[in-house]
Amino acid sequence: MRKSCQHIPPVALVVAYVFWRVARHYAKDNPAIVTAAQIVLVVVAVGWLVTAVAGWLARRPGPGLGIPTTPEQWQELAQNWEQQRQERAAERQRRKQARKVADRAFMCDELPGAPDEKRSAQTDEGRLGRAGLPVLRSERELADWLGVGLPRLRWFTHHKPVDSVSHYVRYTIPKRNGGRRTILAPKTELKRLQRKVLHGILDLIPASEASHGFVKERSIATNAGMHVGRQVVLNIDLTDFFPTITYPRVRGLFMAFGYSFPVASTLALLCSECEREPFDRGQERLYVSVGPRALVQGAPTSPAIANLVAWRLDHRLVGLASKHEFGYTRYADDLTFSGDGIDGALRILSAAGRVIADEGFQINRDKTRVYRRSSKQMVTGLVVNDQVSTPRELRRRLRAIIHNAAKAGLQSQNRDSRPDFRAHLLGQIAFVNEACPEHARRLKEDLASVPD
């Protein structure tokens, strides 16, 4: 018998056990006696076990393992527990702060998610340096470079299928050939961040030589000028150009620049958005995504990103055109080939369809056109038969509208009920100015003399 267990010797267990067996045998008709015997046995057994364990702990070597027996020992134990609790709380706070500044591991990945080799991509400082791009190693450095707090940046780049806030203003404008075009214009703060990305990163990467849309010192006139005086002009239009460039493709572009997976993902989220529909739930308005996240018309970064994503498409189509002695240019989603043989144009049309599909785009068959020399050859709205010029019908229509407005008032000619008819006419005159600046100057002077 151990000294620490002498308070309840084993003989007490034997007596309690015998009492319980006797009660079960001789008092089985009296449940109260049997229950009392069971309770006595359990209490004696538990008491002996607790005493035995306490004695064993008291004899173990080492600090803090004994059972306190004095108020001083209990106070010391309480102080140790309080210190350990504070240390655990400090560790939790440290980990919480570390999670706040650490790069996110999940970035709007569509199932089944990004491959491991992409997630493990690190910052390539050499590649960034050669391109003259800012070296941004983490989301924290990106936020500092943008001049915004990290929580604020994550608020702009946190993708939600259903959100209570929309960072874009949605409206529609009429298309030239009918229908409505959806514009998503970023709100003021987001637009400022996107412009920082545009001027600080995207503008430093040159677009392909074949691209004339949204490129400095290039325009619809320079695009059309490459196809003047050719026997055959082939126009191909791409369907849903911006929506086709989805979030994973934008992220891949920034990773190709040399940015790590978290930084590239954050930049891609900053420059893309879903098509959303408003939904009212009680007093709350929600915005529900109805499509994949992609480039939107209205963001200042979308044209530059689209040109860079289409760089390999342009490179392959330049090679295809050169093979058949044709020229090639692209203005946004308008692809133009020109040369001197109809057979070459047809072969290009067949092969270009495969190249375009291979690069992740689609041809709008309804807008594919082949113009011969004997017809009016159009490139991005301009005539290129002998020289670059605006269509004669457009200039005559504008002169007629301004002439009639001088007699009957400007609003008498607003047959489509446009909200700002003068601004509409000025936009048409600006288009004329691209190829016929002298005609545009006279039209603008005549319009200025017409009262509202």
Side-chain angles (χ1 to χ4, degrees):
M1 176 63 203
R2 294 183 182 273
K3 187 176 181 180
S4 61
C5 301
Q6 288 178 355
H7 298 89
I8 305 178
V11 67
L13 290 176
V14 176
V15 172
Y17 178 73
V18 170
F19 174 63
W20 173 65
R21 293 299 299 267
V22 170
R24 286 188 60 189
H25 187 269
Y26 294 102
K28 58 184 176 181
D29 295 333
N30 193 339
I33 296 177
V34 176
T35 302
Q38 289 177 339
I39 293 174
V40 170
L41 177 60
V42 170
V43 170
V44 172
V46 171
W48 180 82
L49 181 62
V50 171
T51 306
V53 172
W56 176 71
L57 290 175
R59 292 189 308 275
R60 290 193 61 188
L65 295 176
I67 300 298
T69 58
T70 64
E72 292 77 9
Q73 291 176 344
W74 279 110
Q75 184 178 5
E76 182 181 357
L77 181 61
Q79 291 175 352
N80 291 337
W81 285 347
E82 178 64 20
Q83 181 180 357
Q84 293 173 6
R85 187 191 67 79
Q86 293 177 358
E87 291 176 353
R88 290 193 299 269
E91 179 63 18
R92 287 194 299 269
Q93 186 67 19
R94 186 191 65 79
R95 292 179 180 178
K96 182 178 179 181
Q97 294 298 329
R99 286 194 299 270
K100 286 184 178 180
V101 300
D103 291 334
R104 289 171 287 180
F106 182 79
M107 295 281 190
C108 180
D109 292 317
E110 300 176 2
L111 294 177
D116 291 339
E117 58 269 19
K118 286 190 176 181
R119 290 185 177 277
S120 60
Q122 301 298 316
T123 305
D124 190 338
E125 297 187 19
R127 183 182 300 179
L128 293 172
R130 289 190 295 272
L133 299 177
V135 178
L136 307 171
R137 304 175 186 85
S138 64
E139 289 183 81
R140 166 66 69 183
E141 294 187 11
L142 174 60
D144 294 340
W145 180 75
L146 290 171
V148 67
L150 182 58
R152 190 71 173 173
L153 176 61
R154 287 181 173 174
W155 182 65
F156 280 117
T157 59
H158 181 60
H159 173 74
K160 293 181 181 179
V162 180
D163 203 343
S164 59
V165 176
S166 176
H167 299 301
Y168 291 80
V169 177
R170 185 180 188 274
Y171 61 93
T172 60
I173 59 175
K175 291 183 179 180
R176 183 175 57 184
N177 298 325
R180 308 290 295 182
R181 187 185 307 278
T182 300
I183 303 297
L184 290 178
K187 295 180 180 178
T188 303
E189 187 176 2
L190 177 59
K191 182 182 290 186
R192 180 184 68 81
L193 298 179
Q194 290 178 344
R195 283 176 173 167
K196 176 72 173 181
V197 175
L198 172 64
H199 299 311
I201 295 178
L202 299 173
D203 283 348
L204 303 181
I205 306 296
S208 68
E209 292 295 327
S211 177
H212 288 256
F214 315 106
V215 180
K216 292 180 180 180
E217 299 182 359
R218 302 181 199 176
S219 63
I220 58 173
T222 62
N223 181 68
M226 304 292 292
H227 307 283
V228 173
R230 309 305 292 269
Q231 294 296 320
V232 179
V233 174
L234 168 63
N235 286 338
I236 298 176
D237 185 83
L238 301 180
T239 301
D240 297 330
F241 185 50
F242 283 172
T244 303
I245 304 175
T246 56
Y247 160 76
R249 300 181 71 175
V250 180
R251 179 183 60 194
L253 175 69
F254 284 110
M255 292 178 66
F257 291 166
Y259 290 111
S260 64
F261 177 84
V263 173
S265 299
T266 304
L267 287 168
L269 289 167
L270 194 66
C271 300
S272 62
E273 175 59 310
C274 300
E275 173 69 19
R276 296 181 183 270
E277 293 291 341
F279 171 75
D280 292 326
R281 185 179 64 181
Q283 301 297 323
E284 183 182 18
R285 166 154 288 197
L286 301 176
Y287 300 89
V288 183
S289 63
V290 293
R293 197 175 185 99
L295 296 184
V296 296
Q297 296 196 45
T301 51
S302 293
I305 291 175
N307 279 339
L308 295 175
V309 169
W311 188 92
R312 192 170 68 171
L313 171 68
D314 292 337
H315 182 72
R316 295 180 65 180
L317 292 181
V318 165
L320 174 64
S322 299
K323 179 180 178 181
H324 298 282
E325 298 182 351
F326 268 60
Y328 164 78
T329 61
R330 179 180 59 82
Y331 190 93
D333 57 353
D334 292 326
L335 283 57
T336 304
F337 300 85
S338 63
D340 294 327
I342 187 65
D343 293 338
L346 296 178
R347 285 193 294 268
I348 287 175
L349 179 60
S350 176
R354 294 190 295 270
V355 173
I356 291 170
D358 187 48
E359 292 297 325
F361 298 99
Q362 295 180 347
I363 292 180
N364 186 350
R365 299 292 179 182
D366 295 336
K367 293 186 177 180
T368 300
R369 298 285 186 272
V370 177
Y371 299 103
R372 293 176 180 268
R373 180 72 174 170
S374 56
S375 63
K376 183 170 60 177
Q377 296 172 323
M378 301 289 294
V379 176
T380 53
L382 300 175
V383 181
V384 295
N385 288 67
D386 298 311
Q387 62 179 3
V388 178
S389 63
T390 51
R392 186 178 304 170
E393 297 82 359
L394 174 62
R395 299 196 301 272
R396 288 177 175 175
R397 181 169 60 84
L398 288 174
R399 281 200 300 268
I401 290 174
I402 296 174
H403 176 75
N404 294 332
K407 298 179 179 179
L410 190 63
Q411 291 303 318
S412 67
Q413 304 301 307
N414 189 8
R415 296 183 175 86
D416 294 331
S417 300
R418 299 183 182 276
D420 192 343
F421 189 53
R422 182 180 294 273
H424 171 71
L425 293 178
L426 288 173
Q428 299 256 317
I429 294 173
F431 176 74
V432 173
N433 185 68
E434 290 288 341
C436 305
E438 184 59 28
H439 285 87
R441 183 186 62 80
R442 291 199 297 267
L443 289 171
K444 193 172 183 179
E445 291 175 353
D446 293 342
L447 179 61
S449 64
V450 176
D452 292 331

